[in-house]
């Protein structure tokens, strides 16, 4: 139980730490990316006057413009499309105009890749350097489709390999540092989870020790009372009633102790494939004879070849507790039925009986209706199954549903 609690707490702590580190890394990376892109775009916008000056000096002569660099040191390449058929361009233009024209968006930045290299492109309109100052006017049109005689469409682009390399290096560094930090955080989370579980474990251990001591202490006066009945002059009928109640009290103490061990995991034993059909039939034959002696007719059948991952002792305890319920609480005379069968990949054990009416002075109140059924529920959980209990004014039904296991 506490191992599962420890795993759950440590898992939640580790998962929350991992998510926090991932979210923090994403925020930092995207903020850095936005800053680099913004700086690159601003540097390209600020280099527009230098490109205009270069175009004015070169007067559109092919590839004779001087090299232009932005404030970040990146080379600015350009194409300029005016009213003439000529396309002015910077020296040693690395990207053909057709590629540039295919991704350009006027007054917008765009990124593209050519020959495996990343580029940033900025498209805008500038006054025609060949036009007279009086002829330069503002116009509204689509310059990508049809350039004006008074303006020039300028395609500026630069290589952003350094920017992408910086982002890639930063991402690798974040992964290494984040991974190391996550491993340290995992170690801290495991220690923290252990510290969180320890108080509950100490409290549960103290509780189990108290239950163990109390059960042993209670068994002593029960044994003493049994011895006193044999030595005192008590009539046989009264002595039999007292012994029966003492036996029930002793059984209740044993059940409480066993339930405490089940909850704490002390009673857990290594599981194995158990042939539950044979065990159930054997117990049914034994309890059927006992039930017949008190006026209860028990009938049922078990399918052959059913196996469950459990222990023989736990399955015997589960089935015998349910049959004991029938004997102690069924109406007399009455009938009770049981069945054990396979249902797909599950095995179902079903027991049903008529509820007996309690008469005045009847002290038959076996612990199986309370502690015993808690033991049944716990054993079903140990077998990765469930126990369903239904009670009406006339019927009492218990259904155990556990995973089936095929024998090797």
């Amino acid at each position: 139980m506490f191992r599962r609690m420890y795993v759950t707490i440590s898992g939640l702590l580790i998962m929350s730490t991992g998510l926090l580190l991932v979210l923090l890394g994403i925020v930092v990376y995207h903020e850095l990316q936005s800053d680099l892109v913004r700086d690159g775009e601003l540097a390209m916008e600020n280099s527009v006057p230098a490109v205009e000056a270069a175009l004015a000096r070169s007067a559109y002569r092919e590839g004779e413009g001087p090299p232009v660099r932005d404030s970040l040191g990146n080379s600015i390449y350009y194409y300029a499309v005016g009213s003439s058929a000529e396309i002015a361009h910077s020296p040693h233009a690395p990207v053909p105009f057709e590629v540039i024209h295919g991704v350009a968006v006027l007054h917008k930045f765009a990124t593209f890749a050519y020959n495996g290299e990343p580029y940033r492109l900025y498209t805008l309109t500038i006054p025609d350097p060949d036009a007279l100052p009086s002829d330069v006017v503002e116009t509204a049109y689509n310059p990508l489709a049809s350039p004006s005689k008074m303006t020039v469409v300028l395609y500026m682009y630069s290589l952003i390999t350094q920017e992408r390399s910086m982002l890639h290096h930063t991402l690798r560094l974040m992964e290494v540092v984040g991974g190391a930090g996550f491993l340290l955080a995992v170690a801290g989370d495991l220690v923290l989870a252990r510290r969180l579980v320890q108080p509950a474990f100490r409290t549960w251990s103290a509780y189990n020790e108290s239950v163990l001591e109390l059960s042993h202490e209670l068994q002593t006066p029960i044994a003493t009372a049994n011895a006193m009945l044999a030595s005192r002059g008590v009539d046989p009928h009264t002595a039999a009633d007292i012994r029966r109640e003492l036996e029930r009290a002793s059984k209740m103490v044993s059940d409480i102790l066993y339930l405490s061990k089940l909850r704490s995991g002390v009673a857990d034993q290594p599981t194995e494939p158990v042939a539950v059909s044979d065990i159930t039939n054997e117990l049914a034959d034994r309890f059927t004879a006992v039930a017949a002696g008190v006026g209860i007719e028990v009938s049922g059948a078990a399918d052959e070849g059913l196996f469950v991952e459990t222990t023989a002792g736990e399955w015997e305890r589960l089935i015998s507790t349910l049959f004991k319920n029938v004997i102690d609480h069924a109406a007399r005379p009455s009938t009770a039925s049981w069945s054990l069968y396979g249902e797909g990949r599950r095995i179902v054990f079903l027991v049903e009986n008529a509820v007996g009416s309690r008469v005045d002075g009847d002290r038959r109140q076996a612990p199986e209706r309370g502690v015993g059924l808690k033991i049944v529920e716990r054993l079903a959980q140990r077998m990765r199954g469930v126990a369903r209990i239904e009670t009406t004014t006339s019927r009492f039904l218990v259904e155990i549903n556990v995973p089936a296991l095929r024998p090797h």
Side-chain angles (χ1 to χ4, degrees):
M1 179 178 65
F2 289 98
R3 184 179 303 166
R4 184 167 58 250
M5 183 185 300
Y6 173 74
V7 171
T8 301
I9 293 176
S10 58
L12 290 174
L13 290 174
I14 292 172
M15 184 176 62
S16 60
T17 302
L19 288 176
L20 181 61
L21 289 175
V22 170
L23 290 176
L24 182 62
I26 291 175
V27 171
V28 171
Y29 179 79
H30 281 282
E31 187 65 24
L32 175 63
Q33 185 182 42
S34 299
D35 289 342
L36 290 176
V37 170
R38 185 167 51 251
D39 291 344
E41 292 176 351
L42 182 61
M44 185 171 285
E45 287 180 340
N46 293 336
S47 63
V48 171
V51 175
E52 289 183 298
L55 288 172
R57 288 194 298 271
S58 64
Y60 297 133
R61 288 188 297 273
E62 183 175 347
E64 296 181 3
V68 178
R69 294 185 180 274
D70 60 15
S71 58
L72 300 179
N74 298 319
S75 297
I76 300 296
Y77 306 100
Y78 56 85
Y79 287 99
V81 181
S83 57
S84 64
E86 284 191 56
I87 300 178
H89 62 84
S90 56
H92 311 293
V95 183
F97 176 72
E98 292 76 12
V99 176
I100 296 294
H101 187 269
V103 298
V105 180
L106 188 61
H107 300 304
K108 298 288 184 180
F109 286 92
T111 57
F112 66 95
Y114 181 74
N115 286 339
E117 298 290 344
Y119 293 88
R120 176 176 291 115
L121 170 65
Y122 181 43
T123 309
L124 70 159
T125 57
I126 59 174
D128 191 340
D130 288 341
L132 296 175
S134 59
D135 294 334
V136 177
V137 295
E138 294 293 333
T139 59
Y141 63 98
N142 183 1
L144 292 178
S146 175
S148 169
K149 294 181 179 180
M150 303 302 172
T151 58
V152 171
V153 180
L154 178 62
Y155 303 86
M156 298 171 52
Y157 62 101
S158 65
L159 192 65
I160 55 174
T161 304
Q162 184 178 2
E163 177 183 311
R164 295 291 177 85
S165 177
M166 183 182 298
L167 286 174
H168 181 76
H169 176 72
T170 302
L171 183 60
R172 297 284 82 78
L173 181 62
M174 291 174 63
E175 289 177 350
V176 172
V177 175
F182 179 71
L183 292 178
L184 291 175
V186 167
D189 290 339
L190 293 176
V191 174
L192 179 60
R194 186 177 183 84
R195 289 181 176 272
L196 291 174
V197 171
Q198 280 181 347
F201 176 74
R202 287 194 294 267
T203 302
W204 184 255
S205 299
Y207 163 76
N208 285 328
E209 291 176 2
S210 300
V211 171
L212 181 61
E213 293 175 1
L214 179 61
S215 64
H216 287 302
E217 292 297 328
L218 287 176
Q219 292 288 2
T220 301
I222 292 174
T224 303
N226 269 321
M228 291 174 63
L229 285 175
S231 61
R232 302 294 174 87
V234 181
D235 63 278
H237 181 72
T238 303
D241 288 342
I242 294 175
R243 285 193 180 93
R244 183 171 61 248
E245 295 305 321
L246 289 174
E247 289 174 1
R248 293 186 186 280
S250 178
K251 180 67 167 55
M252 182 180 295
V253 171
S254 299
D255 284 348
I256 292 174
L257 179 60
Y258 183 74
L259 180 60
S260 177
K261 291 180 178 180
L262 276 179
R263 288 176 172 172
S264 63
V266 175
D268 291 355
Q269 298 295 329
T271 60
E272 60 182 0
V274 176
V276 295
S277 301
D278 299 336
I279 296 176
T280 305
N281 281 324
E282 181 182 346
L283 291 173
D285 292 339
R286 187 188 312 166
F287 280 98
T288 297
V290 176
V294 295
I296 303 173
E297 182 182 348
V298 179
S299 62
D303 292 347
E304 296 297 330
L306 299 181
F307 285 78
V308 174
E309 182 72 23
T310 181
T311 65
E314 290 183 353
W315 186 261
E316 289 178 2
R317 184 64 179 258
L318 186 149
I319 300 301
S320 60
T321 300
L322 293 178
F323 279 133
K324 188 72 164 52
N325 263 307
V326 174
I327 295 173
D328 288 336
H329 296 283
R332 304 182 182 186
S334 67
T335 60
S337 62
W338 65 272
S339 59
L340 179 69
Y341 57 92
E343 194 175 68
R345 297 184 178 180
R346 311 288 294 183
I347 291 177
V348 179
F349 178 74
L350 188 68
V351 60
E352 183 178 8
N353 62 269
V355 177
S357 59
R358 187 178 176 191
V359 299
D360 294 338
D362 185 6
R363 295 183 179 180
R364 290 187 304 104
Q365 194 65 23
E368 282 76 7
R369 287 298 198 208
V371 179
L373 289 182
K374 292 295 183 182
I375 292 175
V376 169
E377 291 177 350
R378 198 69 184 184
L379 288 174
Q381 292 175 7
R382 276 265 298 158
M383 300 172 195
R384 303 191 308 278
V386 293
R388 182 174 64 90
I389 301 172
E390 292 185 4
T391 305
T392 64
T393 56
S394 60
R395 305 297 292 174
F396 185 81
L397 181 144
V398 179
E399 179 185 295
I400 307 299
N401 191 310
V402 295
L405 182 68
R406 292 184 177 180
H408 298 292

